Amino acid sequence: MKNIVLTGFMGTGKSEVSKELSRVLGRKAIDVDTEIEKSQRMKITEIFKQLGEPRFRDIETEMIKKISKNKNVIISTGGGAVLKQENMDTLRENGVIICLTAAPETILKRTSNNNDRPLLQVEEPLKKIRELLEFRMPYYEKADIMIDTEGKTPSEVAGEIIERWKK
Ligand code: S3P
């Protein structure tokens, strides 16, 4: 069975939905950022601070290659993983790519309760979210399936994924 790969902007619920899919389908869930943090023994914020974003992106690409060797698992990616075509190609080899979306205001609400997203530690996070979303949308749209998470619980989103992925 193909992997289920979740992409999408920060705060679209990838991690929560991934856990829910794992529970319902009885498949292992692997989170790219969590594996990066384990391998570097540093939090993502620390990696950005100490090594910089370009190095983080290289580590991310290597980790995606490693994780994509699995079969029959659920993979959740960081919001910027879609920016490199190489990552998309790797993820697609064994998987179907599902992109979660949400409105900028919802993303702000879901991300403002902690400081663990270095890209959003700015004075006007909503403006930054809008700018990043506009730039990244063509990349997110390369997914096989797009799912709007607005007003839905992680369980509802997981249900919709299962329904649409089976077709
Ligand atoms: C990023 C998203 C983050 C993390 C890093 C960069 C991005 O992951 O990979 O902070 O560029 O959008 P989440 O989407 O899980 O927050």
Side-chain angles (χ1 to χ4, degrees), residues 8-12 14-15 31 33 36 44-45 48 53 56-57 60 77-81 83 111 116-119 132 136 140:
F9 201 79
M10 297 169 261
T12 50
K14 292 165 293 187
S15 305
D31 182 78
D33 280 351
I36 291 175
I44 299 294
T45 339
F48 266 70
E53 184 174 349
F56 169 76
R57 296 298 172 199
E60 183 176 46
T77 61
L83 298 172
T111 54
D116 61 11
R117 267 102 172 182
L119 295 178
L132 282 172
R136 291 180 176 185
Y140 290 127

Side-chain angles (χ1 to χ4, degrees), residues 35-120:
E35 295 307 311
I36 291 175
E37 289 185 336
K38 277 196 233 159
S39 78
Q40 300 298 309
R41 295 195 186 86
M42 261 191 269
K43 288 278 170 200
I44 299 294
T45 339
E46 217 37 52
I47 301 175
F48 266 70
K49 235 191 263 167
Q50 293 196 17
L51 310 176
E53 184 174 349
R55 179 74 192 118
F56 169 76
R57 296 298 172 199
D58 289 344
I59 297 170
E60 183 176 46
T61 296
E62 284 316 305
M63 190 51 81
I64 286 174
K65 272 192 204 142
K66 194 171 161 197
I67 293 175
S68 294
K69 292 199 174 105
N70 287 281
K71 294 219 170 79
N72 213 18
V73 297
I74 294 145
I75 300 172
S76 47
T77 61
V82 297
L83 298 172
K84 272 198 208 170
Q85 186 58 40
E86 184 185 357
N87 294 343
M88 293 296 277
D89 293 342
T90 310
L91 291 163
R92 197 168 259 130
E93 268 171 36
N94 283 337
V96 53
I97 300 179
I98 297 173
C99 179
L100 305 186
T101 65
E105 295 75 12
T106 308
I107 289 171
L108 179 67
K109 235 184 272 165
R110 291 184 189 157
T111 54
S112 56
N113 55 353
N114 62 49
N115 303 327
D116 61 11
R117 267 102 172 182
L119 295 178
L120 301 183

